[in-house]
Amino acid sequence: MPIKSYLAHPIAGRKEELMTALISLGQCEVIPAENQNILALVTDTQTEKEDEILKEKIEALSSLKLLALVSGFNTPQ
């Protein structure tokens, strides 16, 4: 079960749009920073393949400027 945390940097002025889009993908928990234009993102998927698909969907969001992996954890099945 891959669990990963990211810092998601939105395009200027599109933080709320990015947050809404990430939440709608499912398998994501989003925590907005109160004093910065940044979102903390935690993803939780069942398999490596699901994780790859989810990451591709996240990276395709038009309101995303930069996605930086902070930590990854995988529980062997």
Side-chain angles (χ1 to χ4, degrees):
M1 162 180 331
I3 299 172
K4 295 184 178 176
S5 60
Y6 300 90
L7 293 178
H9 299 261
I11 290 176
R14 297 177 71 182
K15 182 177 175 181
E16 292 297 322
E17 178 185 341
L18 179 59
M19 188 165 79
T20 302
L22 290 168
I23 292 168
S24 72
L25 291 175
Q27 300 172 306
C28 295
E29 183 175 338
V30 182
I31 301 113
E34 294 179 16
N35 60 349
Q36 296 290 323
N37 190 35
I38 196 169
L39 301 170
L41 170 65
V42 178
T43 62
D44 184 2
T45 54
Q46 294 300 313
T47 66
E48 285 293 331
K49 184 66 176 171
E50 277 185 34
D51 182 63
E52 290 173 25
I53 292 168
L54 180 59
K55 186 171 182 254
E56 288 174 6
K57 288 178 182 178
I58 293 169
E59 290 175 336
L61 295 172
S62 64
S63 53
L64 179 69
K65 180 178 180 180
L66 175 72
L67 185 67
L69 179 65
V70 176
S71 177
F73 178 78
N74 189 11
T75 304
Q77 304 250 350

